Every structure is written in C-alpha cells, then in structure tokens.
Amino acid sequence: MNETQESAVRAESVVVRYGRRTAVDGVTLEVPRGSVCALLGRNGAGKSSLVRCLIGQQKPDAGSVALLGRDAWRHRAELMERIGVVSEESDAPPQMTVAELARFSASVYARWDQQAVDARLRRFAIASDARFGNLSKGQKKQVMLALALASAPELLILDDPTLGLDPVARKSLFEEVITELAERGITVLLTTHDLAGVETIADRVAIMREGRVVVDEELEALKARFRRVRYAQRTVALGSGALGVRSWGSNGAEAVVGDYDERMERFRAAEVATMSLEEIFIAVAGDATGAES
Amino acid sequence: MNGTLAIARREVADRRVILLTAGVLALIPFAVLLIPSVKRFGSGMVIAAVGGFVALSYILALTLLLGATFIGRELADKRLSFYFAKPLAASSIWFGKLAGSLATIVLAAATILIPSMIAAAEHWTPVWRRGIGYGALVALALFLLAHTVGTMFRSRSPLLLADAACAAVAAGVLSALFNTLAAGHAQLLRYQLGGVLVALLLLFLIAGGAWQLSRGRIDPARNHRELSRFLWSAIAATLVLLGIAVFGIVSVTPADLGSQVWAGTPPAGNWMMIAGPVQHRGDYRGAFYLNVANGEYRRADARSIWWEMFFTPDGLVAGQLRPVGRGGKGPVQLELVRFGERDVDILPTQVMFSRYTQPVLTTDATRVASVANGIVRVQSLPDGRTLALARIPGAAQHARLFFDDNHRLRLFSVAGGRLDVFRLDLRSRRLQRTGTFTSTSKVLGFNATADGSRLLMRAGGELSVLDGRTAAVLAKLPGEGRGAILSDGRIAIVDAARGKLSLYGSDYTLQRELALPGMRTIPFLREVEGGKLFVGGHRGGAANEPDGRGWSVHVVDIAAGAITATGRDLRPMPQDLHFGLGTADPRRVAATADGPFIFLDADGSVVLWDPASGTKRAVTRAS
C-alpha cells in the first residue's frame, strides 16, 4: 500500500499507562483520508493521551501510530510539515505577539501562507501586535488555528478546540474548518465536547470510554443504528443491543437500541425516535448504570 | 539548522528585559565613583573591581536561573508542545533554546563588562582576562547542572532517590580512582584526567539535554527518566573506561620503572623500597617493596617519596608516613608493612611531619619516635598513647634519633656549629642532655654507628670521632676526606683528591691505605655484612648525570685490606649520594652479605650486581 492509499491516521493497539492507571487501553483507530473524524469521550476517557500519541508527542507504552503512512513517534518532525495541530491548551509563548508567532512559525515551515494567516486574523478581528498571553481563550484558539492552517496541512488535528469558547467563537472556529474542508479537502481529526457543533462537520465518529474505543464508524451509520424505543408495557425483550432500559410513563419502558437498522421489524410495536449525536454519546459513553453526566 | 537559529533568536528576543537590566547594572561601577571616599582607591581600580563584581554576581544568578528554567519551566507548564507541534527536531529545540540562553548570558556579561573594560583598560590585566575564560567555563557548567537538577526536581519522581544513589556511587568511584592515582603521586595525570572528565561531563550534560527532549518530549517525568538514563549510562561507561585506564596505569611492576629511580634501603635484610616514574604513564610513579634476593615485590604508596619512610633496624618492618587530609598540616598516619605478612597496619599518630628529621621505630615496631617543631614525641603504636613528649632545648635544625631499647631514646640535635646529645627516658619522661660538641664551623655533618655509640663528625675540614653519649672527642683523624665508622670499630676514610681509601683501627691508628683507581669524586662509602666495604665514585666530570656512565664501584675486603671486585658503569642510587650530610650512613644495607647489590647501570636502569660473578640483572628498564 503506498502512502496515498494509507489512512491519514492509523493507531493499532495503543496502550498508555500512567503508573498503575491505564489511560488508553489497546485502542485501534483508523481515519481515512479526506474524512472528518470526531473523537469523543467523557473527561478522562483517554482522548488527550491518544491525541498526544497521534501527534508524536508521547510514546505509547505499547502499539503503534502512523500518520499519513509514517510512524508518528519516529518521524514527528517531518510529519509536522504536513500536519496542523491545535492543542487543548494554547501553548504558545505568552510574551510573543501574534505577528511574532506568525514570523517564528513561518521560519520553521517549508510552506507558509502569510496572506492566509493575515486574512484569518482579520476575520477573527485579532490585532497582530497583541501579545498572545493577553488574548482571550477563544482568540488564542483562533490564532492557533490560523497558524495551523497556514502551512496547508494534509491533516488537521484539533484537540478540544472549542473548550471554554462562547457559542459565537465556537461557530466561527468550526466555520473556518468547514471552509478549509470545502477548499482543500483535508483530513480532520478532532476531539470535542461540542457535539452539536461537530455533528455539522464530522462524517465519522469514534467514542472512547475508559480508555477503549467503543464506537468507530461513519456518523450516518451510527445515527441509523441508534434509536430510542418506547413500549407501553415493561415486559418486552429488547435484546442484547439495548442500552439503559428504564421506566417510561406509568407502565411502559424506554431504551436505546444500537442495532435498530438490523432489527427494525422487532420494534414495530414500539414508539421509535431518532437520536442526535449527543444523545447517542450519552447512551454510549455514560456510566455503567446508564446515568447521564 | 533554520529551526535552531529561529528558536535561538526567539530566546534572546524574549529576554530583552535581562539585557536592559544588564545595561542599567553597567552604570553601577561609574555611579560608585560618585561616593567621595571611594576615589582614594583610584577610579580605574574601582571601575574594574566593581564592574567585575557586578558582572560576576549578575551572571551567576542569571546562569542558575536560566539554567533551571530554559527548558524546565516550559516543560512544567506544558508549553513545550508548541515546539513539538512544529516541524522541529527535538535536537533543534534543545540546541536552539540552549544557544539562545547562553547567548543571552554572554550578551548580558558583555553589556556590563565592556564599558568598565574600556574605561579601566589598564586594570584589566591578562590575569583578569583569563579569569573571564575560566568564568565562562564555570558558568556553562553551572548552567547545565542547574538544568539537570531542575529537570530532576521538577518531575517530583521517586527516581530522584536513584539519582542521588548514582551520584554518590559515581563520586565514590571517582574518588577511589583519583586516590589510586594520588598514591602514585600522579598530579599532572590527575589534572589532565580531571580536565578530560570535566569536558566529558559538559558534553554529556549537553547531549543529555538533546536526548531527554528527543525521548521524553513534553512529559516531565519521562524527560527526567531519559535524562537520568543517558547521564548515568554515560557516566558509568566513562568510569568503567577510566577504571580500565587507571588499572592499566597502576598495573606496573618494578621492571616498568624508568630512570630517576628512588630507593629506600633498610639497615639489614633483603627488602627495600624502590620507586620512580613509570614509562608511558605520565607522571605516575610506581612504588614497591622489593625483595632483591628473589625479585618478589608488593605495592607501596609512592607518596612516601615525599613523605618519609623508614625501616626497623632488622629491616623486617617498613614504616611509611602519610598525610591525613589536605595540606598535610596535621598529624600523619603511619602505615606499617611487615614483610612476610599480607595485612598492612594503618595507625593514627600524633607524629608531625618534619622535612629534617626521620621518625624511627623500635625493633619490634611498637613505638615510634619523631621530632617536629623542636618537640620530640614517642608514641605507643598499638594503642596510640603518647609515652613521652619533650621540648628540645635550643633551636634544633635537624635531629637524629636512636632507640637504645624500648625505654630509652637517644637524640642528636644539630643547631649551627653545635651538636647536643640528649637521652629521653620513657619511664621518667625526662629529657636529659648528656653531652655537647661545638665547632667554629657552622656546618656539621656526621655519621653514626648502628647503635649510635660513636659518631664520625666532619666539621670545618676536620674529622673527629665522638662518643655517642657524651659527645666527647675520642680522636681526631688527619685529612679532609669523608668516612664511616665500621661495625668492628674500624674507621674508613676516603680522600677523593688523592684517590685513596684509608683504614684506621679501633685505636685510631692507620692500618692500610688503598689506591682507588679511576675515581675523582667519591661520594659513596658503605659497609655491608661480611666485612665488605663498597666504595663508589666517578672518574670526574659529569657526575650528576642520571645514569652509571663514568661511575665505578670497588668492593673492599676490610680484613684483607684489598679490592676484591670492581663494577664498571655502576652508580649508587641517587639518594645515597648525600653522604656526609647526615642522611646516609653505613647502617643502610641494601642486600644480603653476598649480594646482589642494587645500582644504576650505564643506561639509567636499576640493576642487581653480583660482585662474585660480576653479572648484572635488570630490575627496571631505562626509558
């Protein structure tokens, strides 16, 4: 398989441990080229540890990670020429101005589109002489996104880019990514808790729970197989695909089924409702008792 | 490279405040001149001194601060990911930040120092300028150490305990290796190895930083782990190599000794000490107790070359004084080597080192007597007790000590043209003068018999035989030669000017005269067991050459009054040539009665010469 046929992201049996705690427990994940993959999970599910492994900043205790067909740990520096990263924490030196950050970044990339940076900063209404440390959280994310996109990356990795942002900032950030997608068709892997926002751009979803990937598929397929079903009686056999069965109404039962597309006939007697990504996430990533967070 | 430079530029630019502060500090030396009372020291001196002090203080603080934070703070604040998310190799990040920080320190130092160097150029002597070079090296070392220690502490990892253990072990090994070299008096070699080790340590610290970022990246604990792994592995490998090198250096045999060999000989027996530079091993000196009869040897501490060593009268125990701690100002340790036994006794003493007076041991090596700073002290070695302590009246320049037995010590004290004989009774602890000899000559040289009962005194061109207890003159002998009292009471006198040896009876009458052919300088006269006398001399000219060319040795049968053997190109060991100055006497016998005897050969190598057969056996190889 040559490089262009390879997946943009390929993680195999990745394990990350911190002392006795296993943060990432044998994760295998593949992100095809040209797709937008949302990596979801509750806090502590292991997303950030996995992302650090994906971008070659952390060596997994076991397993392997390849980006664009090359080992992420060994070829990190070369790979970063083709990858844009927006970290969870805005990690640029706080004393540098936005213009200095851009100049510094330009000096270390072979490809650099300063006009694109300037245009985005104008769109975000961020002054280039502002010190990075003085910017708001949302502005910092916007600056980091502008810098990440300036090298025309083939793969964009966004680690919780909307964390702490107000709805307006969140919307502008996603719009920027959507524009980039429309213009260049890059691959995007992002982690986020903004499920409503990501639903508009993601075509693939992976959900992590307690260090494991429990869902990894096309968003449309995911939404097709998940339904909320309600029965008037409680004594209904829902099968193994049912999640979080609970009382509904005076005598009825409600459950989420994850195999609706395969067993549609079975739920003829039930009241069936489609589910948003957020609802699916809560059903899948909630705790063992099905409690929502 | 672009990335490294870009990061370095950023590091300097981000620290503009440091350079601005340095600019303000540069004004201090000039501002101090506004204080009226300061001007009396001279404005140039004040500017240079204050400028140097301000720069040193600021740079020291800056070095430690930047060293501890230039990577460590960003690592702890999780901001190194900014660099790792860019196409920058870990080594570029490390070297860029390192270069930027060091450039900041250099610029800050230059900002403070250059104005004062210009304003007070005459006070910036080459010594001060050299100080800047050393200061830069120290600053680099402190910077890197601050980074290393900072990385280790910031991780708050239990690995710190392992680091401390490794550091302690490394220090212990290093100390042991350097002490091993110190025992061979290899000062230059230690300096050179120390320099190499410092350079290697700096290299390891620099490479270790690149390694830690390359393998640890943004994780503080992993950075610590990788840095520790690299550093301790490199240090361990270095210490192993150093250990091998030191082992190679110290694994010498008497045969490896070059020229300029030193030897210490006992009054009797086959064991002697032999020491000197070793070929191809820098300034390392090998030292051995050597049995000249069978070639057996055991290693000794070469520092005894400089710190006295001595034997018991039977030659079966060697004593060696060693300094304790640095400087050798306090009491010394006594190392007792009993030939034929494996163990070595190292005993603390109250003996103070004196360049002019050799300590003496009793025959059973249970007591040691010494003189230092005009005080004679006798110490019991098994329990360390001081048995007697007394101030010697008069300003003794040097003294000779003899144990009459385990309870009585005889002391010959020389000051100017005066010799005093004292007896120290260890039971009563009384020091009593028993005799005095005076001369108009300010220089006295004497030899004593093995029991100290008689002295042959050379003063002002006269030879006198003195009673060893009362210093009374027993006889005056003619001539200006040098001589020795032999064990049977006879006296041997050599006259280099006339090239003859005179033998006097115990009644001081002349018995025989022997011609000493081929000798114009005769500094060596030694009686050995079996009624033989060795006379060594040079044919004249370059007698100080460190080899045996031009030298010869005659073996004289005392009873027959005849030369029985002659060895050509044989020179006595250099320290034996101080004949007549009170440091050599006929008690020192280097071998058995029949030989072989130890000499320097024509090429400077040490040989054992057998007078009976005339054969020479090499003990060392000349370099």
Side-chain angles (χ1 to χ4, degrees):
Chain A
M1 195 181 287
N2 65 31
E3 202 175 283
T4 52
Q5 292 170 313
E6 279 277 358
S7 302
V9 176
R10 186 186 184 90
E12 279 188 18
S13 309
V14 172
V15 176
V16 175
R17 292 190 198 93
Y18 300 107
R20 290 179 186 169
R21 189 171 72 84
T22 302
V24 179
D25 190 2
V27 165
T28 295
L29 179 71
E30 204 161 330
V31 180
R33 283 175 186 261
S35 66
V36 176
C37 178
L39 179 63
L40 310 178
R42 296 180 64 186
N43 292 335
K47 304 185 300 293
S48 291
S49 293
L50 180 61
V51 168
R52 283 197 291 272
C53 292
L54 294 179
I55 58 178
Q57 294 189 359
Q58 185 169 350
K59 190 173 187 182
D61 293 297
S64 64
V65 174
L67 297 184
L68 306 172
R70 304 191 75 191
D71 186 278
W73 175 258
R74 280 200 286 165
H75 302 288
R76 178 198 56 81
E78 300 96 302
L79 282 168
M80 287 303 133
E81 196 69 65
R82 301 160 63 191
I83 295 167
V85 175
V86 176
S87 301
E88 183 180 7
E89 298 290 335
S90 297
D91 50 12
Q95 68 277 17
M96 288 170 79
T97 65
V98 174
E100 285 171 338
L101 273 173
R103 269 201 300 277
F104 172 76
S105 300
S107 67
V108 298
Y109 281 96
R111 286 177 299 182
W112 190 258
D113 187 348
Q114 185 59 39
Q115 286 181 337
V117 175
D118 295 339
R120 285 194 177 95
L121 291 176
R122 272 197 302 277
R123 279 205 291 282
F124 295 141
I126 295 171
S128 60
D129 60 351
R131 285 194 187 282
F132 187 75
N134 294 340
L135 299 176
S136 70
K137 216 167 189 177
Q139 287 174 316
K140 285 178 182 170
K141 292 281 186 186
Q142 287 168 328
V143 170
M144 297 310 283
L145 180 65
L147 297 177
L149 292 173
S151 62
E154 296 166 48
L155 170 64
L156 185 63
I157 295 179
L158 310 170
D159 190 7
D160 221 343
T162 56
L163 181 69
L165 302 193
D166 62 50
V168 176
R170 238 183 290 173
K171 184 168 178 288
S172 82
L173 194 134
F174 277 131
E175 279 174 358
E176 205 60 45
V177 176
I178 290 166
T179 307
E180 192 69 15
L181 283 170
E183 288 177 358
R184 298 200 302 110
I186 62 173
T187 309
V188 178
L189 172 70
L190 79 163
T191 72
T192 183
H193 292 288
D194 180 9
L195 300 180
V198 81
E199 197 169 352
T200 60
I201 61 169
D203 49 28
R204 192 172 182 85
V205 171
I207 299 176
M208 288 187 73
R209 179 174 160 164
E210 293 173 355
R212 296 200 174 106
V213 170
V214 291
V215 167
D216 177 18
E217 63 190 293
E218 301 276 334
L219 179 59
E220 290 310 314
L222 183 72
K223 292 178 80 169
R225 71 184 175 89
F226 272 85
R227 287 291 186 277
R228 188 179 300 283
V229 294
R230 286 169 180 163
Y231 287 93
Q233 309 120 310
R234 280 182 193 164
T235 54
V236 177
L238 289 165
S240 60
L243 302 168
V245 181
R246 61 185 180 184
S247 306
W248 174 64
S250 53
N251 290 318
E254 180 189 84
V256 172
V257 291
D259 53 359
Y260 178 77
D261 54 342
E262 290 174 7
R263 299 190 298 143
M264 234 177 271
E265 294 302 311
R266 191 181 183 118
F267 304 111
R268 236 176 232 165
E271 184 184 317
V272 178
T274 58
M275 295 174 72
S276 68
L277 178 59
E278 186 169 340
E279 288 171 318
I280 296 170
F281 173 75
I282 290 168
V284 172
D287 65 21
T289 60
E292 294 169 8
S293 58
Chain B
M1 195 63 187
N2 276 350
T4 306
L5 289 176
I7 293 173
R9 274 198 300 271
R10 279 289 350 129
E11 290 291 308
V12 176
D14 287 350
R15 294 186 177 120
R16 286 180 289 254
V17 175
I18 288 174
L19 299 179
L20 284 173
T21 308
V24 173
L25 291 175
L27 300 175
I28 290 179
F30 301 94
V32 167
L33 289 177
L34 298 175
I35 303 169
S37 59
V38 163
K39 282 187 176 165
R40 65 193 163 97
F41 297 110
S43 58
M45 176 54 84
V46 169
I47 289 171
V50 175
F53 176 75
V54 169
L56 184 71
S57 308
Y58 188 57
I59 296 309
L60 182 67
L62 197 58
T63 295
L64 293 174
L65 187 72
L66 284 184
T69 58
F70 83 110
I71 292 287
R73 194 166 65 189
E74 286 184 311
L75 196 56
D77 293 349
K78 300 187 187 307
R79 279 193 281 110
L80 268 187
S81 52
F82 172 74
Y83 298 99
F84 279 103
K86 301 208 159 12
L88 291 165
S91 56
S92 292
I93 298 170
W94 165 256
F95 284 110
K97 290 177 93 49
L98 178 69
S101 298
L102 293 180
T104 304
I105 294 171
V106 170
L107 286 173
T111 305
I112 300 174
L113 286 174
I114 287 175
S116 73
M117 287 175 92
I118 292 170
E122 73 280 10
H123 292 282
W124 281 92
T125 61
V127 175
W128 284 48
R129 289 196 193 103
R130 269 203 300 278
I132 292 176
Y134 288 121
L137 193 66
V138 171
L140 177 63
L142 284 178
F143 179 88
L144 293 168
L145 284 173
H147 161 72
T148 303
V149 173
T151 299
M152 290 174 172
F153 273 90
R154 277 177 202 275
S155 81
R156 295 174 187 158
S157 158
L159 198 58
L160 260 176
L161 294 175
D163 289 322
C166 288
V169 169
V173 170
L174 201 61
S175 168
L177 292 175
F178 271 68
N179 278 339
T180 305
L181 292 177
H185 211 78
Q187 196 163 339
L188 184 61
L189 203 56
R190 278 184 294 153
Y191 278 132
Q192 289 168 337
L193 280 177
V196 170
L197 287 180
V198 167
L200 279 177
L201 181 64
L202 291 179
L203 201 65
F204 294 158
L205 290 174
I206 291 172
W211 175 273
Q212 81 168 76
L213 282 192
S214 164
R215 313 275 294 197
R217 300 196 183 171
I218 63 167
D219 181 352
R222 201 180 167 104
N223 266 265
H224 177 184
R225 193 164 68 234
E226 293 298 337
L227 178 62
S228 293
R229 182 184 298 176
F230 180 91
L231 270 186
W232 298 125
S233 302
I235 288 172
T238 304
L239 289 179
V240 167
L241 289 176
L242 181 67
I244 292 169
V246 169
F247 181 77
I249 289 169
V250 304
S251 295
V252 293
T253 66
D256 295 315
L257 297 178
S259 54
Q260 307 286 330
V261 174
W262 183 96
T265 50
N270 296 332
W271 287 93
M272 65 175 295
M273 189 186 205
I274 184 167
V278 183
Q279 299 175 79
H280 314 304
R281 285 172 175 87
D283 63 341
Y284 179 80
R285 291 175 173 84
F288 307 91
Y289 292 110
L290 175 69
N291 186 327
V292 291
N294 61 14
E296 184 188 346
Y297 66 88
R298 59 193 290 179
R299 292 177 198 288
D301 192 318
R303 281 172 289 194
S304 61
I305 295 171
W306 314 107
W307 298 90
E308 299 287 324
M309 61 91 54
F310 44 92
F311 295 85
T312 52
D314 59 9
L316 294 178
V317 180
Q320 185 180 338
L321 295 180
R322 280 194 193 168
V324 179
R326 298 179 73 83
K329 296 277 170 59
V332 295
Q333 282 182 340
L334 175 64
E335 180 186 284
L336 284 183
V337 177
R338 296 171 203 278
F339 301 116
E341 291 179 21
R342 191 177 181 80
D343 294 335
V344 173
D345 293 333
I346 296 177
L347 306 165
T349 72
Q350 284 103 41
V351 173
M352 306 295 285
F353 172 71
S354 165
R355 195 168 293 280
Y356 304 106
T357 301
Q358 217 174 28
V360 293
L361 288 169
T362 53
T363 305
D364 61 2
T366 59
R367 293 171 182 201
V368 62
S370 62
V371 172
N373 303 322
I375 293 173
V376 58
R377 180 193 298 269
V378 181
Q379 187 187 348
S380 166
L381 288 174
D383 54 16
R385 274 188 311 128
T386 296
L387 300 174
L389 191 67
R391 176 169 292 283
I392 305 166
Q397 290 165 341
H398 68 265
R400 295 279 302 281
L401 304 170
F402 290 87
F403 272 110
D404 288 332
D405 52 40
N406 273 16
H407 305 290
R408 284 178 300 176
L409 180 79
R410 202 125 41 84
L411 190 151
F412 300 107
S413 167
V414 175
R418 178 185 172 112
L419 168 80
D420 286 308
V421 184
F422 295 94
R423 193 179 69 181
L424 178 62
D425 189 302
L426 300 187
R427 292 195 183 95
S428 64
R429 301 190 174 193
R430 280 188 59 210
L431 181 72
Q432 188 180 5
R433 184 186 285 115
T434 58
T436 299
F437 168 83
T438 55
S439 167
T440 52
S441 171
K442 295 297 178 193
V443 180
L444 301 182
F446 68 94
N447 293 323
T449 53
D451 59 358
S453 62
R454 282 192 297 166
L455 309 179
L456 184 63
M457 174 65 71
R458 183 166 178 263
E462 284 188 346
L463 281 172
S464 307
V465 181
L466 308 185
D467 183 283
R469 288 170 181 77
T470 63
V473 176
L474 302 175
K476 284 187 181 289
L477 299 175
E480 296 183 1
R482 297 175 175 186
I485 302 173
L486 306 180
S487 55
D488 63 357
R490 280 188 272 194
I491 296 169
I493 307 289
V494 290
D495 186 339
R498 295 186 180 83
K500 67 172 186 178
L501 167 71
S502 304
L503 286 170
Y504 292 86
S506 53
D507 58 355
Y508 313 118
T509 58
L510 180 65
Q511 293 183 334
R512 283 180 196 282
E513 280 193 336
L514 289 172
L516 299 171
M519 290 184 179
R520 293 290 172 84
T521 307
I522 310 173
F524 181 71
L525 182 67
R526 172 169 293 182
E527 183 190 16
V528 299
E529 293 169 48
K532 291 193 179 70
L533 190 63
F534 277 54
V535 183
H538 194 265
R539 65 181 172 221
N544 289 325
E545 289 299 315
D547 56 45
R549 279 172 296 184
W551 287 81
S552 56
V553 175
H554 298 303
V555 182
V556 177
D557 184 319
I558 298 168
I563 295 173
T564 58
T566 297
R568 302 286 174 203
D569 292 335
L570 290 176
R571 175 185 170 154
M573 303 305 287
Q575 71 287 349
D576 289 336
L577 301 183
H578 301 295
F579 180 83
L581 295 177
T583 54
D585 65 77
R587 293 183 307 119
R588 294 184 166 204
V589 181
T592 59
D594 298 325
F597 300 90
I598 192 157
F599 288 97
L600 289 177
D601 205 356
D603 59 0
S605 61
V606 176
V607 292
L608 293 175
W609 177 56
D610 183 352
S613 64
T615 56
K616 296 174 184 173
R617 179 161 62 85
V619 175
T620 69
R621 294 189 297 263
S623 52

